[in-house]
Amino acid sequence: MIYFDSAATTLQKPPRVARAVQEAMHRCASVGRGGYAAAEAAAQTVFDCRSLAAQLFGATEEQVVFTMNATHGLNIAIETLVPEGGRVVISGFEHNAVTRPLYAKKAQVTVAGTRLFSQEDALAAFDDALRQKPHAAVCTQVSNVFGYILPLTQIAALCRQYAVPLIIDASQGAGILPISLTQTGARFIAMPGHKGLYGPQGTGILLCADGGQPLLFGGTGSNSAEQAMPDFLPDRLEAGTHNVCGIAGLAEGLRFVRAKTPQAILRHEQRLLRQLTAQLREIPQLRLYTGENQSGVLSFTVENADCEEAAARLSKFGIAVRAGLHCAPLAHESAGTKESGTVRASFSAFNTTQETREFAHLCKKLFGATEKAKFPTCYWNENRI
């Protein structure tokens, strides 16, 4: 199988990730529930991962909260900062993990920046919207649909300038782009463990500048005589038993990223992106969504073909890609692909040049034809051509 769906989950992981999960299952009990060896092993495992994350993401150990996934973390952040009916500014490329919690809170949402691959548009739109002093701003680091890298450093600076608390969705950026709680000044940064951090599914990290409103209430192993949740991090947001086995695997994923470096992983993915883009441009029946400021994610549509059907045909030949709206209809609305959806290929550190060649060769066989295409093949810094 050629696996090009790492924007959903990095299926190919360092072997030591699986080994760490299995070892923790045999030797670790629960954190904070005893002073015996197995409980202490669990506590040390969790602390080691917390420490690794703090070093990578510009935080202290106490500011690293373990979650089930990025969605869990984003819900905590939105619950903390956005009152019922509150005003929020978001980018035009947010995932449903952001838009659905805001919809549930009946928030008044301003969408800022809808031009694909245009950082200038995003900055100008955020500048205008933040002047209105919303309760919070939410911005993804990278679009999960198009790989568009948003100008997060500058957006964070604008949020500091206008004193608007910022929530960052680092689901697609963590592991390939630098992100720092301290340097951005964000109130919250949410990320999953199972994408660019190469950890198991069911793991995630929420970086918290301070406090946070719990979504879950229960035992923490601390302040057990009190009925209120602890008022200190990370205990305040980590009710119940930790996913110690998953966290053990996540720690190994973080070590892998640290050793490879996010910069090197991004360069590798972008090299594959350029190679695949050049190869697929030879197929006039494909429309590619590509431009500057792009990570290792490439979306395309096929002339006169449903994107789900196209992905299914690829799957029959052992190619794993995702098709549809990718849980991000707002991004498709911004790019003009909401009606069609797209086929998405996304890379990881484990993909190769040979895989891009085989993928492109198969696309030529399945979707190529002699007749002239009815639309241009590429988008370059414009919503439409």
Side-chain angles (χ1 to χ4, degrees), residues 304-339:
N304 298 324
D306 177 81
C307 65
E308 299 278 3
E309 293 177 359
R313 292 178 69 187
L314 289 166
S315 179
K316 290 180 180 179
F317 291 88
I319 307 290
V321 294
R322 185 169 177 184
L325 296 182
H326 315 93
C327 298
L330 180 60
H332 286 279
E333 184 175 332
S334 295
T337 55
K338 191 173 181 180
E339 294 302 316

Side-chain angles (χ1 to χ4, degrees), residues 49-130:
C49 188
R50 209 184 297 276
S51 180
L52 284 164
Q55 294 168 30
L56 275 171
F57 305 122
T60 65
E61 283 87 354
E62 292 77 13
Q63 292 172 318
V64 176
V65 170
F66 290 115
T67 59
M68 295 183 291
N69 42 51
T71 299
H72 181 192
L74 289 166
N75 272 262
I76 292 173
I78 290 169
E79 181 64 26
T80 300
L81 295 179
V82 182
E84 189 78 8
R87 293 179 297 111
V88 184
V89 55
I90 66 175
S91 85
F93 297 89
E94 299 304 315
H95 191 276
N96 279 345
V98 169
T99 58
R100 282 180 171 173
L102 292 176
Y103 177 83
K105 295 185 77 70
K106 298 180 174 61
Q108 304 172 55
V109 176
T110 297
V111 178
T114 59
R115 287 184 59 192
L116 185 58
F117 302 120
S118 176
Q119 293 189 342
E120 294 80 4
D121 175 62
L123 285 173
F126 265 92
D127 196 358
D128 287 342
L130 291 170

Side-chain angles (χ1 to χ4, degrees), residues 53 57 65 67-71 73-74 141 168-175 179 189-195 197 203-207 250 254:
F57 305 122
V65 170
T67 59
M68 295 183 291
N69 42 51
T71 299
L74 289 166
Q141 194 176 17
I168 297 173
D169 179 0
S171 293
Q172 300 296 327
I179 187 72
I189 302 177
M191 60 189 73
H194 67 280
K195 298 181 190 285
L197 301 183
T203 61
I205 292 170
L206 179 66
L207 306 174
L250 177 56
L254 292 173

